[in-house]
Amino acid sequence: MQGMNLGANRQYPGAPMKGVMNGDNGPHMPPPLTQQQYMNGQQMRAPPGPGYPPMPGQQPGPGGLGAYPQPAYQQPQQAKRLDPDQMPSPIQVTQDDQQNRSGIFCTNQKGLVPPLVTTNFVVQDQGNASPRFIRSSMYNVPVSQDIMKQTAVPFSLVISPMARTVDQEYPPPIVNFGDLGPVRCIRCKAYMCPYMQFIDSGRRFQCLFCKATTDAEYFQHLDHTGQRLDRFERPELVLGTYEFVATPEYCRNNTLPKPPAIVFVIDVSYNNIKSGLVHLLCSQIKDIIQNLPVDQGQEKSNMRVGFITYNSSVHFYNIKGNLAAPQMLIVGDIQEMFMPLLDGFLCTPEESGPVIDSLMQQIPAMFGDTRETETILLPAILAGLEALKASDCAGKLLVFHSSLPTHEGPGKLKNRDDRKLLATDKEKSVLTPQTQAYNQLGQDCVAAGCSVDLFIFNNAYIDVATIGQVSRLTGGQVHKYTYFQADVDGERLVKDIITDISRPIAFDAIMRVRTSTGVRPTDFYGHFYMSNTTDMELAAIDCDKAVAVEIKHDDKLSEEEGVYIQAALLYTSCSGQRRLRIINLSLKTCSQMSDLYRNCDCDTIINYISKQATYKLFEHNPKAVKDNIVTRAAQILATYRKNCASPSSAGQLILPECMKLLPLYVNCLLKSDALSGGSDMTLDDRSYVMQEVMIMDIPTSVNYFYPRLIPLIDLDPTQDPVEIPPPIRCTIDKMNEQGVYILENGIHMFLWIGLGASPDFIQKVFGVPSAIQVDIEKVALPELDTPLSVAVRTIIDDIRTQRHKCMRLTIVRQREKLEPVFKHFLAEDRGTDGSPSYVDFLIHMHKEIRALLS
């Protein structure tokens, strides 16, 4: 299959798994399947040994030797292909992990691999941080750079410093040392943690990161084992994650901060009036701002809010509580943006409730008859930045914007919409910003601790690649609602805004990752800005975002010591307290490759590779980026085969247990919209999913690359509570026309209805007698008073709650116009653009591995 074009199409898989077939031939190996079971009548090149099925000889297809084998479901006469059911399955792997590793996960051991992100577990922090905050691609780090090079497994961390804990887990405790401030190593500045060793009767401690000793003003006697007597009363000596209250020297201008603020920046041009957006926002603001985040241990939120509207000029509002009515101040000169109002712009919803209510009635009336279609954008964001700077606080701008900023002024953009360039060597010309103005604005925002979330309501090209830079550099996010109509999409938007402002968030943050000697962090991926080589500057980071960091060797490691990692996030909490969140992780070191391969986290590897590859697309040709991923995956698996697997025939594909889904996930990554989106999507959609991949935490990326396919037809509506049915493999082979299925990947949600679906089910859920009569234009199910209707709607709501955004529901009927869109997300199947199916790709990987081994 040397001619296989692995470029290709789209959407990718998710969960890490354990299971069906073991490559390490350990004691838990299931018996090898018989030759007959594999062969299924097909001539094999080699007798099967233990491990995976031998790969069949390539049949010359219509296109000569390099042509793809047609998937079996398209060509029944070729049913002798490999049986997809014998391939490693993510469904099986997640189920096995859930069965074997759910319950309590105790973090008291160095280098302990955590359960998969898809498993329900409760973390007991006993010295290493919860895997919700930090995961490593490997938990046994090779002692030398040489082993790292040979295996090609990336050593990377994916860090979600503000991740939510689950019920029964304690949030990180807050430690206050008063004027003394956090205790740190005198040389490398690492913070006090369980890895520090006390010496000299407790008067000094030795740092495990850099080996320096520091005199401790922080004294306590030691017991007979050399441990401090008070260690169980001190979170920083026994826990993997905790927070220190910061002193003024950790603050801007050495001054303790004010509580952060949220500023609503609303485009009131014709498009947003016509779609109903402005009316909707103004009618819902009162409810939205009731959801401002409340800090740990606080009764209520003391965050303030402010309002700006704009079209071709910018309008500020004074909402001071003692005013009879709100006051509007207009800045018409958008070349020189300034803040016309010092007092009364930011207020709490309590002190200014009636004035805000009055303003929300006036805005739709003031702009209701507008004919302005040309808008600005950059000056409006700058207005929000100036407002926060004048109020001397950090915060977040929520910008509600509708069209390409074509009005004369700073940040004016031209239309360069040419989707034919996607998936070609020229795509970076339209995926990189057309001007540096928004990048500069992003840097100015970070410097002031101002994060920007863009809510985009476009009916045409809006250049997300350029305007999205402000969100990328400030730790923000783009939310996109193309062809928005308030009556159809309004509820979804309001839910998204509430999620956005209510979730745990760190403002005006800076994060540094420190490592013990012998390794160091080298590459960083995510939404932040770096003005030096060590610090990630984040105007904000919330619980749903992650950053990825690659670690490289700069010296040999010792086998006894291990590798120590400390991520420190300095930030302002939503109540205005300056804090440091410290996240510690200890890993083992190894000199045997087999130890590395036994202790990897495939989901972390894929999350990291996806971020790195997305970033590389801005500089390199897309084919080279994708070929590089395939080559690397082949090298990882070939090195395992050569050095760790027991000898077996060359016709056998043998995969390490914890990486047996690597070929599937790599194929899903290559086909995903972020890497391979072609001219069947818009430039803005492509830029949007690329940005989404850059901020995804691991649970999100698992589900994005391998979507969940959930069968509904056998639902038991009497269940209490209703539970989401277990997913099935993401392939058309597992679906039938009597079925109804939900497919979701965190960005899209489809409800597919088979033409042969039971009339009883259709009647109870859709209120019509047959599948053909279902109204597929609707974006919500009818609210019928049947247990089945309630159950299906509950499942849809539960799925949305598990994801970070309220996905729009798209109803797809079998054999109708939207079905190809739905099928595009069936990750195991061949892509409409010819990208390989899972089985095809496994065969291709096997060839690549054999080529490397020979």
Side-chain angles (χ1 to χ4, degrees), residues 130-343:
S130 159
R132 302 190 205 290
F133 298 125
I134 186 167
R135 276 183 180 257
S136 176
S137 59
M138 56 180 69
Y139 286 81
N140 272 25
V141 180
V143 288
S144 71
Q145 200 164 358
D146 185 47
I147 308 177
M148 288 291 293
K149 271 211 175 79
Q150 283 182 56
T151 63
V153 180
F155 179 12
S156 53
L157 308 168
V158 176
I159 308 171
S160 265
M162 298 304 291
R164 291 177 198 264
T165 48
V166 300
D167 294 346
Q168 302 166 309
E169 291 178 359
Y170 295 102
I174 300 171
V175 180
N176 193 342
F177 284 137
D179 294 341
L180 178 63
V183 178
R184 309 177 69 173
C185 166
I186 193 163
R187 184 195 294 159
C188 73
K189 302 289 190 241
Y191 294 89
M192 180 50 66
C193 68
Y195 317 140
M196 303 297 189
Q197 285 174 342
F198 286 86
I199 51 175
D200 196 9
S201 309
R203 281 187 281 277
R204 295 189 297 156
F205 66 87
Q206 183 178 29
C207 173
L208 259 189
F209 294 93
C210 74
K211 303 291 184 264
T213 54
T214 302
D215 290 335
E217 290 179 54
Y218 167 73
F219 169 76
Q220 179 53 269
H221 294 289
L222 308 183
D223 64 14
H224 62 287
T225 64
Q227 299 278 7
R228 284 173 60 119
L229 294 170
D230 64 349
R231 77 171 194 276
F232 291 114
E233 293 141 43
R234 293 199 170 271
E236 71 277 12
L237 299 180
V238 288
L239 294 184
T241 312
Y242 42 84
E243 300 201 329
F244 291 124
V245 175
T247 47
E249 57 266 35
Y250 290 88
C251 306
R252 284 175 188 279
N253 311 324
N254 292 338
T255 318
L256 293 172
K258 296 180 183 169
I262 300 264
V263 180
F264 294 86
V265 184
I266 306 167
D267 159 4
V268 288
S269 66
Y270 178 71
N271 283 350
N272 273 351
I273 296 289
K274 189 172 77 136
S275 70
L277 172 78
V278 174
H279 284 80
L280 174 82
L281 272 181
C282 291
S283 67
Q284 298 292 322
I285 281 283
K286 188 175 183 175
D287 293 339
I288 289 170
I289 59 182
Q290 297 306 313
N291 292 283
L292 290 169
V294 178
D295 214 345
Q296 201 177 319
Q298 302 270 330
E299 294 288 297
K300 57 183 179 35
S301 178
N302 51 2
M303 287 183 70
R304 294 173 298 164
V305 295
F307 299 93
I308 290 173
T309 56
Y310 66 98
N311 35 39
S312 55
S313 54
V314 177
H315 329 117
F316 294 84
Y317 297 92
N318 184 344
I319 51 169
K320 212 173 160 123
N322 56 12
L323 293 174
Q327 292 168 347
M328 175 178 178
L329 293 96
I330 299 176
V331 177
D333 180 6
I334 54 173
Q335 302 292 340
E336 292 291 324
M337 187 47 60
F338 68 99
M339 176 67 184
L341 162 74
L342 282 175
D343 189 27

Side-chain angles (χ1 to χ4, degrees), residues 772-845:
I772 205 75
Q773 288 161 283
V774 173
D775 182 353
I776 59 173
E777 300 295 310
K778 292 264 189 285
V779 294
L781 299 182
E783 299 192 11
L784 304 176
D785 197 11
T786 67
L788 201 55
S789 167
V790 173
V792 174
R793 284 181 287 124
T794 302
I795 286 168
I796 290 172
D797 287 344
D798 288 352
I799 291 171
R800 283 174 170 157
T801 314
Q802 289 176 356
R803 304 293 166 230
H804 307 327
K805 43 172 60 78
C806 185
M807 295 171 281
R808 178 180 184 150
L809 182 69
T810 303
I811 301 175
V812 177
R813 188 160 38 231
Q814 187 181 4
R815 301 201 194 106
E816 293 195 9
K817 66 176 189 292
L818 280 174
E819 197 180 45
V821 180
F822 169 84
K823 284 182 168 173
H824 164 71
F825 294 100
L826 293 172
E828 292 194 32
D829 295 343
R830 192 170 176 187
T832 43
D833 61 350
S835 55
S837 70
Y838 178 21
V839 173
D840 294 344
F841 187 71
L842 258 185
I843 294 171
H844 177 72
M845 278 307 279

Side-chain angles (χ1 to χ4, degrees), residues 81 85 124 270 272 422 443 538 573 688 695 707-708:
R81 276 279 138 221
D85 285 346
Q124 270 187 5
Y270 178 71
N272 273 351
L422 289 180
Q443 290 175 34
L538 301 128
S573 76
Y688 167 73
I695 58 175
R708 262 201 304 190

Side-chain angles (χ1 to χ4, degrees), residues 340-451:
L341 162 74
L342 282 175
D343 189 27
F345 176 73
L346 293 178
C347 299
T348 66
E350 283 161 306
E351 63 180 322
S352 299
V355 187
I356 294 173
D357 290 349
S358 159
L359 176 61
M360 292 305 128
Q361 284 165 0
Q362 286 174 30
I363 288 174
M366 273 191 295
F367 299 102
D369 300 327
T370 184
R371 284 283 163 264
E372 291 220 34
T373 51
E374 286 211 336
T375 61
I376 53 173
L377 173 59
L378 191 146
I381 297 173
L382 192 54
L385 167 62
E386 292 297 332
L388 288 176
K389 276 166 50 177
S391 309
D392 200 21
C393 70
K396 179 169 240 190
L397 311 180
L398 303 192
V399 181
F400 299 86
H401 185 72
S402 71
S403 53
L404 191 69
T406 50
H407 187 79
E408 254 338 296
K412 176 183 174 176
L413 298 178
K414 58 179 191 291
N415 189 332
R416 50 167 189 167
D417 186 13
D418 186 0
R419 60 162 82 178
K420 290 194 295 299
L421 297 178
L422 289 180
T424 72
D425 291 352
K426 296 201 179 77
E427 67 172 27
K428 57 178 178 283
S429 65
V430 286
L431 293 176
T432 49
Q434 59 169 288
T435 158
Q436 287 303 302
Y438 289 88
N439 298 55
Q440 186 55 53
L441 175 61
Q443 290 175 34
D444 295 344
C445 286
V446 173
C450 164
S451 173

